[in-house]
Amino acid sequence: MRSVFGATCFVCCAVFGGSAAPGRANENIPYAAALVLIASQGTLVRSDQDIGSVLVADPEIANVQIVSSRTIFVFGKSPGSTELFMLDGDDQVISRTKISIARPLSAMPRDY
């Protein structure tokens, strides 16, 4: 099992698909999905296509592990936001995902 740093927690929306033309800048690749997660929690994310590699822009925010050829596990490390890229075996972008990690509710101040 390969490990790459990523993000995680509660999934708000996770629909993966779409592709990008070779050589396109990141800002020209549309977001395929958005994940909203809670720190110290994780979720499985599935792809319609085989995954060759996974990249996370800020490894301090999230961790990602490849589980199988079409499934990854995303784990939220600390509050913040980052991006997740899934690439196929030819290093072409399968999906670009915006990831937001929130503080656990237990870490929020209570105003009673």
Side-chain angles (χ1 to χ4, degrees):
M1 197 182 308
R2 291 181 281 172
S3 176
V4 179
F5 292 99
T8 131
C9 290
F10 176 75
V11 179
C12 176
C13 173
V15 178
F16 292 98
S19 61
R24 290 173 65 180
N26 290 343
E27 58 274 2
N28 293 329
I29 302 167
Y31 286 109
L35 293 177
V36 178
L37 311 165
I38 298 169
S40 298
Q41 293 184 1
T43 190
L44 291 172
V45 177
R46 290 175 172 68
S47 171
D48 296 357
Q49 301 174 40
D50 287 347
I51 302 166
S53 60
V54 182
L55 306 168
V56 173
D58 189 342
E60 297 298 318
I61 303 292
N63 178 294
V64 174
Q65 291 182 336
I66 297 176
V67 176
S68 69
S69 64
R70 293 189 177 202
T71 304
I72 62 172
F73 179 75
V74 182
F75 180 78
K77 293 175 69 177
S78 62
S81 63
T82 189
E83 291 182 314
L84 167 72
F85 288 86
M86 285 195 279
L87 308 175
D88 65 16
D90 295 323
D91 291 333
Q92 298 302 306
V93 177
I94 296 170
S95 72
R96 174 185 181 201
T97 304
K98 177 77 170 182
I99 298 175
S100 297
I101 307 297
R103 294 185 194 287
L105 291 177
S106 61
M108 302 282 184
R110 295 183 188 191
D111 295 331
Y112 292 102

